[in-house]
Amino acid sequence: MRVLVRLLSTLLGLAVAAGGALLALEVGWAWWQPGKEPLLVPWPRWKTAIAELDWTSTPVRIAAGIAVLAGLVLLLLALGAGDRAVRMTDPADGITVSTSPRALARLVGLAVRAEDNVRGASVTASSRRVRVRATSRLENEEQLRPRLLETVSGVLDDLPLQRRPKVSVVVDSPKDR
């Protein structure tokens, strides 16, 4: 989501910069050649076309609707791209500590992969949930899952997290099939 917001803000910034440069060119051209036609944009034709419109005409209402929808989409994207940091307990007044979900997933992943009979593991983490998907060839889910839950709980207990995330562990094993 953050990538989309960054891309949209970059495109919007470039559009505003291009519009500003175009306006500066047109104003400079109009000052230098006052009686001539505009340089790139047909301003006089646009002015007469806009002068014929009133506030209740269909094109004005459609443009207003599109502007409202675009604003709502941008607002929802900005709200969805909020801070994803995992908050930790504050060591002192005025000091806040947080970590990224990626760093939390790496910590948990290292501990899970260090366990016996774990062939591989993928971990996703957020401030609310830690999901572990481990693979094993030698143990089934009934044998390995409790040990991995204990390992993940130990890692989370060692961290000073403000809110403990929910933990889910899934083990893929050929023995379960």
Side-chain angles (χ1 to χ4, degrees), residues 44-129:
R45 270 191 280 148
W46 287 4
K47 182 180 175 186
T48 57
I50 291 174
E52 295 172 2
L53 296 176
D54 63 348
W55 289 105
T56 59
S57 64
T58 304
V60 172
R61 289 183 183 198
I62 290 172
I66 290 172
V68 166
L69 285 175
L72 287 174
V73 166
L74 288 175
L75 180 66
L76 290 174
L77 286 174
L79 290 174
D83 189 22
R84 304 267 191 243
V86 179
R87 306 273 306 159
M88 296 189 173
T89 56
D90 299 335
D93 290 338
I95 298 174
T96 59
V97 181
S98 64
T99 187
S100 69
R102 178 181 278 178
L104 181 61
R106 282 183 184 168
L107 283 173
V108 172
L110 285 173
V112 167
R113 288 181 197 97
E115 286 294 312
D116 290 335
N117 298 329
V118 174
R119 183 173 171 223
S122 68
V123 181
T124 57
S126 69
S127 61
R128 295 184 182 187
R129 179 169 289 146

